[in-house]
């Protein structure tokens, strides 16, 4: 293990000596823990703070036509048949991205443990598993991978075990942890979470595939013949998971990935929009959407950039193997970061006070050759819980759930 001098040298080179501010006051075990953390932390990501607020360089955007509802309806029987066959043959698995910290929701517990019910208890995890079970109870269970992070792994596992995985067969559930990255203030100085601990946060939702491989799960995929991975976020309480028609459409259209998309409800709605960038599938963030793009029309006279992603994708795993070594862009994201100040007092900020560094799953899509944007109806598939109140909140999600006939 790294000794004090080596740690100090590493920190000096990174301009982070303050990490050792409380070192002399620590117990031996705490000292050891901190030295270990310094040893394993890659401080070089902090240099990206200089990119804060600077948009990433993008290529030339052009529209990518979505498969819209009429086409889906016309082919639904065929798509469903193909999807069901793939599911029955064990070729499809679901991957729940539950490593995030859900800072906007502001609960200390993992987001999946949030009770979205009103008169009864309905945990978000329960809602997601109920939706998955709609498919798997009728066909057969699929493997469910759950990504957690160091921050929420133990509590997530304990909770789901206590709840008996909400009726999902435990032997089909596999957890894996994603990696962490240090979090810092606007000057690039890493925050301390405690006197013996550097503040870290999960390294973004693109970490899922690399982390699966690190956990040795690629072998399991091969052994079981899993070819398609349906990744989905923890906070959309309506989405259909491993939906046969969606799976079938991707297989029939021979794409490397499929993305569930919803028709935008306003040209400037705050969702990432599916498109092509330099001829490859991509997602343009709403704040990068120019007036010209908002006004552009397709050959039917409809807005050309009209379909937003909902973080529910189906990846063809052999295609991911090809791109796994590619370096994805690092996004500098402003967040509320709890920490201790110079006197050691705890600070729980009310507003963003620093940055985290994340790789995002949407950048994986850009590395692939093809993607099928597959239209879903908002009221069936999209009720995100990001905030406590207001837009995309507990309140809006409850309304949508009730509309969908789910008793709360
Ligand atoms: P968000 O970016 O909306 O979630 O992630 P967040 O970071 O948890 O929330 P805020 O911004 O702090 O409020 C969308 C999905 O990606 C997962 C989340 O758990 C959620 O399902 N995610 C995000 C990860 O699994 N790992 C990450 O590092 C980040």
């Amino acid at each position: 293990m790294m000794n004090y001098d080596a740690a100090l040298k590493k920190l000096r080179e990174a301009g982070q000596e303050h990490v050792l501010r409380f070192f002399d006051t620590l117990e031996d075990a705490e000292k050891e823990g901190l030295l270990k953390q310094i040893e394993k932390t890659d401080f070089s990501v902090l240099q990206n703070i200089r990119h804060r607020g600077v948009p990433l360089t993008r290529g030339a955007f052009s529209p990518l036509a979505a498969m819209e509802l009429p086409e889906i309806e016309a082919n639904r029987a065929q798509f469903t048949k193909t999807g069901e066959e793939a599911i029955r043959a064990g070729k499809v698995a679901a991957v729940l991205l539950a490593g995030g910290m859900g800072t906007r929701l502001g609960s200390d517990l993992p987001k999946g443990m949030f009770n979205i019910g009103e008169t009864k208890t309905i945990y978000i995890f329960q809602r997601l598993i109920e939706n998955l079970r709609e498919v798997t109870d009728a066909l057969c269970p699929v493997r469910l991978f759950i990504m957690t992070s160091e921050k929420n792994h133990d509590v997530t596992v304990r909770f789901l075990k206590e709840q008996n995985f909400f009726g999902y067969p435990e032997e089909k559930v596999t957890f894996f942890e994603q990696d962490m990255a240090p979090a810092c203030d606007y000057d690039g100085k890493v925050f301390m979470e405690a006197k013996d601990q550097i503040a870290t946060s999960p390294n973004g939702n693109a970490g899922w595939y690399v982390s699966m491989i690190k956990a040795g799960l690629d072998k399991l995929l091969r052994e079981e013949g899993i070819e398609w991975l349906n990744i989905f976020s923890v906070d959309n309480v309506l989405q259909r998971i491993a939906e046969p028609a969606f799976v079938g459409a991707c297989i029939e259209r021979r794409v490397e990935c499929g993305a569930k998309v919803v028709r935008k409800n306003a040209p400037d709605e705050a969702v990432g929009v599916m498109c092509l960038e330099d001829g490859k599938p991509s997602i343009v963030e709403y704040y990068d959407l120019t007036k010209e793009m908002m006004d552009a029309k397709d050959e039917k006279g409809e807005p050309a950039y009209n379909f937003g992603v909902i973080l529910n994708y189906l990846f063809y795993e052999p295609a991911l193997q090809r791109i796994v070594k590619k370096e994805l862009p690092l996004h500098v994201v402003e967040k509320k970061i709890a920490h201790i100040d110079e006197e050691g007092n705890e600070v729980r900020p009310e507003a963003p006070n620093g940055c985290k560094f994340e790789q995002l799953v949407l950048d994986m899509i850009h590395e692939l050759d093809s993607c099928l944007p597959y239209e879903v109806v908002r009221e069936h598939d999209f009720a995100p819980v990001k905030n406590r109140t207001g837009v995309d909140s507990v309140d809006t999600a409850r309304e949508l759930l009730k509309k969908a006939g789910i008793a709360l």
Side-chain angles (χ1 to χ4, degrees), residues 129-149:
I129 290 176
E130 275 168 9
N131 276 358
L132 175 60
R133 284 187 55 189
E134 249 181 49
V135 173
T136 59
D137 285 1
L139 299 174
C140 61
V142 300
R143 197 163 277 283
L144 170 62
F145 295 99
I146 302 179
M147 180 167 84
T148 60
S149 85

Side-chain angles (χ1 to χ4, degrees), residues 96-105 111 147 178 201-205 232-235 311 335 356 358 386:
L96 167 56
L97 305 180
M101 307 247 295
T103 52
R104 282 171 288 172
L105 188 61
K111 225 184 216 184
M147 180 167 84
Q178 69 174 111
S201 71
N203 66 348
N205 56 24
F232 62 102
S233 73
V234 74
D235 48 30
L311 223 181
K335 296 254 180 168
K356 297 182 174 179
E358 298 190 341
K386 298 286 185 192

Side-chain angles (χ1 to χ4, degrees), residues 91 208-209 221-222 225-231 250-251 254-258 313-323 364 368 370:
K91 291 184 181 169
W208 71 273
Y209 186 62
L221 299 178
R222 295 302 108 71
I226 295 169
E227 292 178 359
W228 295 92
L229 297 169
N230 184 191
I231 67 152
C250 293
I251 295 174
R254 298 176 188 278
V255 283
E256 294 190 331
C257 139
Y313 300 107
L314 187 72
F315 286 100
Y316 184 54
E317 204 267 339
L320 294 178
Q321 292 173 36
R322 198 185 71 228
I323 66 160
M364 290 173 79
L368 297 172
S370 53

